[in-house]
């Protein structure tokens, strides 16, 4: 079962609403080890994404994802704006020319997103960042797609791995981003960026099947 | 949280409205994206200086826009870097044909957004260079962090390079000078109480009455160590020791000493600390040739201070003394 452009738009809208709903949780996570802006920045950006999704006139998944990227880059600010913006931009570019998504395409797009985030943010796994959620998510998606899973199952595998990856950031000492200045004291806290990545992927997995 | 605000989401735009009215003779303020620029921009043939970052650090950066200093400042939301759109708008507003120098504090979000804007500007054919300020000695080993933060020393970079651009130095010279000033600047800060970000509603961290936080940045993020509160003599000595050892600054050096308030510390305490710091430096054979005392790079109402040293030579002294006319720093014109 594939995922049409309309399904993708609906899933992204739903994912945006989930992130907006978790604004306070993300603010609080960031207040503890950062500067308390992650939830508010993503609320601002994903509120704009909801408006963007109202736009219509999409020529395929790539155009949708690139529009999300542009919206995030121009509304979020902070580190999250360029990082999520780059992720969506690269995912979109990886899907150029496709009319709809199948599982291998989802895996390809997620890999491109991760590569973009790594290039832009220069973080590595274990640095206590969104990379710690996204890296296992990509690996899980690739494994699921290779075993013949459909789009929803592939995204679900990615979401599960992202949730585990996010949870695994708790004991880590941050080496990138503002939490890095805390040194050892950053241990014992869930990374806000890993948490928001996990929230996004879970929401996409839940809604990628469309209304069918 | 008790603040003179309406909706937290409107704090920056409403503050900019007041700033525009207060400094109409000097500044043009645009909203959405927010940009504060010289009202006579672009100045043809002059290298344009653009800085910016999250709001909440006032007077940085908007208070330093004007002849002899910045051409434009790009204020983001509170403690959040502006988006590339804002930086691009600023570049377009002030580019006078001689190139644009971006002065960026080393914080991940600032670097990423300014970098993105610089790429877009380059595509448009505008020559843009970027200098990252990273004066914070609290961050010892940059391998395990995002690198030394850019903090109060930023105001010194903006003043000195602003003077060089004003006298007609070209983009290469301004960039080289900025790197020289950054290289000679070191800062360490201490907090007695954190500020509260309006949209978060509670302080970034809490300290007991008998605690201080050493090595804070300027975003309400905690520092590297929590220590028992101590008298000014011991506290200032701690800052002077750490800063001088870092570059190092040694006997015979001439420096500018900046004692900077974080927003919630009165001038009387800053002067008190400044006197102690200058005396400690003199005891080490370091001459303070220029002084600056006040709240220039703040962190909302954070209670605390930072000490900054800049190694001076005659050229830097001349540029420091050169006329400047901005909302927050003004002499000679």
């Amino acid at each position: 079962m594939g995922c049409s452009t309309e399904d993708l738009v609906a899933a992204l809208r739903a994912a945006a609403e989930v992130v907006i709903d978790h604004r306070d949780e993300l603010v609080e996570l960031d207040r503890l080890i950062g500067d308390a802006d992650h939830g508010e920045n993503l609320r601002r950006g994903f509120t704009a994404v909801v408006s963007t999704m109202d736009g219509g006139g999409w020529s395929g998944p790539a155009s949708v994802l690139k529009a999300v990227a542009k919206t995030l880059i121009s509304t979020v600010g902070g580190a999250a704006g360029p990082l999520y913006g780059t992720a969506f931009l690269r995912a979109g570019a990886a899907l150029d020319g496709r009319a709809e998504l199948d599982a291998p395409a989802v895996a390809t797009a997620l890999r491109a997103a991760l590569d973009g985030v790594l290039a832009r943010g220069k973080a590595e796994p274990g640095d206590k960042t969104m990379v710690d959620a996204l890296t296992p998510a990509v690996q899980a998606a690739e494994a699921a797609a290779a075993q013949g899973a459909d789009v929803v199952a592939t995204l679900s595998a990615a979401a599960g791995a992202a949730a585990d990856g996010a949870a695994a950031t708790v004991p880590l000492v941050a080496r990138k981003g503002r939490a890095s200045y805390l040194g050892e004291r950053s241990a014992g806290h869930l990374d806000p960026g890993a948490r928001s990545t996990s929230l996004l992927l879970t929401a996409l997995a839940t809604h990628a099947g469309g209304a069918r | 949280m008790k603040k003179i605000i309406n909706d937290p989401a409107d704090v920056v735009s409403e503050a900019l409205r007041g700033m525009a009215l207060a400094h109409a003779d000097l500044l043009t303020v645009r909203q959405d994206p927010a940009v504060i620029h010289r009202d006579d921009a672009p100045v043809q043939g002059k290298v344009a200086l653009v800085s910016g970052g999250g709001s909440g650090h006032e007077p940085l950066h908007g208070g330093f826009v004007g002849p002899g200093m910045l051409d434009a400042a790009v204020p983001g939301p509170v403690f959040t870097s502006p988006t590339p759109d804002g930086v691009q708008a600023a570049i377009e507003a002030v580019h006078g044909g001689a190139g644009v120098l971006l002065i960026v504090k080393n914080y991940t979000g600032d670097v990423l957004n300014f970098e993105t804007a610089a790429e877009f500007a380059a595509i448009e054919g505008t020559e843009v260079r970027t200098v990252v300020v990273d004066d914070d000695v609290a961050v010892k080993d940059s391998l395990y962090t995002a690198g030394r933060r850019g903090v109060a020393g930023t105001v010194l970079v903006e003043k000195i390079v602003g003077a060089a651009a004003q006298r007609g130095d070209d983009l290469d010279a301004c960039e080289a000078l900025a790197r020289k000033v950054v290289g000679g600047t070191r800062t360490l800060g201490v907090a007695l109480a954190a500020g509260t970000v309006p949209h978060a509603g509670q302080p970034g961290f809490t300290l007991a009455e008998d605690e201080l936080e050493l090595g804070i940045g300027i975003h309400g993020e905690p520092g590297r160590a929590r220590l028992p509160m101590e008298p000014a003599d011991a506290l200032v000595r701690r800052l002077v020791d750490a800063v001088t050892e870092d570059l190092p600054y040694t006997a015979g050096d001439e420096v500018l000493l900046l004692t900077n308030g974080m927003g919630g510390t009165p001038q009387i305490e800053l002067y008190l600390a400044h006197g102690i710091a200058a005396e400690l430096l003199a005891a080490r054979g370091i001459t303070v040739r220029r002084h600056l005392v006040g709240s220039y790079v703040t962190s909302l109402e954070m209670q605390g201070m930072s000490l900054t040293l800049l190694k001076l030579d005659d050229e830097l002294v001349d540029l420091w003394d050169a006329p400047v006319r901005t909302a927050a720093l003004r002499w000679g014109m």
Side-chain angles (χ1 to χ4, degrees):
Chain A
M1 191 167 72
C3 174
S4 69
T5 302
E6 290 69 33
D7 292 339
L8 178 62
V9 168
L12 286 166
R13 183 196 306 276
E17 282 163 1
V18 166
V19 172
I20 294 164
D21 287 345
H22 284 77
R23 179 238 186 235
D24 290 354
E25 179 200 337
L26 294 171
V27 164
E28 181 60 13
L29 288 174
D30 195 27
R31 189 181 70 84
L32 295 171
I33 57 169
D35 57 351
D37 66 354
H38 192 57
E40 175 58 19
N41 292 348
L42 292 191
R43 182 205 62 74
R44 190 171 55 244
F46 281 95
T47 300
V49 165
V50 171
S51 303
T52 301
M53 293 301 94
D54 290 339
W58 310 109
S59 60
S63 71
V64 179
L65 293 172
K66 287 177 184 175
V68 171
K70 196 160 178 282
T71 303
L72 293 175
I73 290 171
S74 59
T75 55
V76 175
L83 291 172
Y84 274 121
T86 299
F88 279 96
L89 194 63
R90 297 290 185 90
L95 298 174
D96 270 336
R98 286 176 188 270
E100 64 167 40
L101 292 176
D102 57 13
V106 167
T108 300
L110 286 173
R111 171 62 68 181
L114 173 61
D115 287 347
V117 169
L118 292 173
R120 185 58 84 191
K122 300 176 180 71
E124 293 170 12
D127 284 350
K128 198 179 180 97
T129 71
M130 62 191 286
V131 168
D132 291 311
L134 197 50
T135 302
V138 171
Q139 290 162 349
E142 287 173 342
Q147 287 163 16
D150 66 9
V151 166
V152 171
T154 299
L155 279 168
S156 296
D164 292 345
T169 64
V170 171
L172 296 177
V173 172
R175 289 191 298 247
K176 283 284 183 289
R178 215 160 286 172
S180 67
Y181 302 117
L182 272 176
E184 299 289 334
R185 287 192 286 167
S186 63
H189 297 281
L190 180 61
D191 178 66
R195 173 63 178 153
S196 60
T197 296
S198 162
L199 283 170
L200 271 172
L201 285 168
T202 302
L204 288 173
T206 306
H207 296 93
R212 285 167 290 190
Chain B
M1 176 174 65
K2 194 154 64 168
K3 289 179 185 287
I4 302 168
I5 63 172
N6 295 307
D7 186 331
D10 298 331
V11 167
V12 174
S13 59
E14 292 185 20
L16 287 177
R17 187 177 59 180
M19 188 174 189
L21 288 168
H23 306 289
D25 60 326
L26 191 62
L27 304 175
T28 297
V29 178
R30 302 180 183 187
Q31 303 267 12
D32 201 23
V35 174
I36 302 162
H37 66 77
R38 281 173 63 155
D39 65 352
D40 58 350
V43 181
Q44 290 305 323
K46 187 184 93 69
V47 171
L49 261 55
V50 174
S51 192
S55 294
H57 307 303
E58 290 69 26
L60 192 77
H61 294 274
F64 302 129
V65 174
M69 220 160 159
L70 297 177
D71 292 81
V74 196
V78 174
F79 288 3
T80 298
S81 70
T83 64
D85 305 41
V87 181
Q88 279 179 269
I91 290 171
E92 284 164 19
V94 301
H95 183 221
V100 179
L101 184 67
L102 303 179
I103 298 173
V104 183
K105 298 188 298 304
N106 191 31
Y107 274 100
T108 307
D110 289 316
V111 172
L112 291 181
N113 285 285
F114 277 82
E115 202 173 74
T116 305
E119 283 176 28
F120 283 126
I123 291 168
E124 302 286 317
T126 306
E127 198 173 1
V128 177
R129 308 275 178 80
T130 302
V131 172
V132 176
V133 182
D134 56 350
D135 53 320
D136 180 18
V137 309
V139 184
K140 282 279 182 199
D141 191 343
S142 58
L143 281 179
Y144 298 102
T145 66
R148 290 172 182 269
R149 297 171 288 210
V151 288
T154 310
V155 64
L156 308 183
V157 179
E158 292 176 359
K159 168 66 185 82
I160 289 170
V161 183
Q166 190 73 39
R167 77 178 175 189
D169 284 16
D170 66 15
L171 187 57
D172 284 339
C174 287
E175 183 188 6
L177 177 68
R179 293 190 195 288
K180 173 180 162 182
V181 177
V182 171
T185 305
R186 295 288 189 277
T187 299
L188 185 63
V190 61
L192 313 183
T196 296
V197 180
H199 67 244
Q202 45 184 327
F205 55 89
T206 46
L207 291 172
E209 191 60 25
D210 57 352
E211 287 179 327
L212 61 83
E213 183 84 23
L214 184 70
I216 42 101
I218 56 172
H219 295 92
E221 74 272 40
R224 291 297 293 249
R226 192 158 291 185
L227 302 170
M229 186 60 199
E230 52 195 9
D233 277 337
L235 180 55
V236 174
R237 179 182 292 277
R238 192 185 286 285
L239 297 179
V240 168
D241 284 350
V243 174
T244 50
E245 279 161 19
D246 193 272
L247 191 62
Y249 301 85
T250 54
D253 281 347
E254 297 184 321
V255 298
L256 186 156
L257 172 62
L258 163 60
T259 298
N260 177 62
M262 302 304 299
T265 292
Q267 192 80 358
I268 187 172
E269 293 176 33
L270 300 179
Y271 278 131
L272 185 154
H274 191 79
I276 297 167
E279 195 174 326
L280 290 169
L281 290 169
R284 291 161 185 262
I286 299 168
T287 305
V288 181
R289 252 181 100 176
R290 292 294 181 272
H291 301 261
L292 187 66
V293 185
S295 295
Y296 293 102
V297 180
T298 62
S299 185
L300 295 171
E301 71 276 32
M302 178 186 271
Q303 207 187 337
M305 59 167 284
S306 61
L307 274 187
T308 301
L309 291 182
L310 162 63
K311 211 173 268 203
L312 290 175
D313 56 24
D314 290 343
E315 186 201 17
L316 295 188
V317 170
D318 285 347
L319 290 167
W320 179 255
D321 290 344
V324 59
R325 190 165 73 92
T326 68
L329 207 62
R330 189 179 292 222
W331 56 69
M333 64 197 290

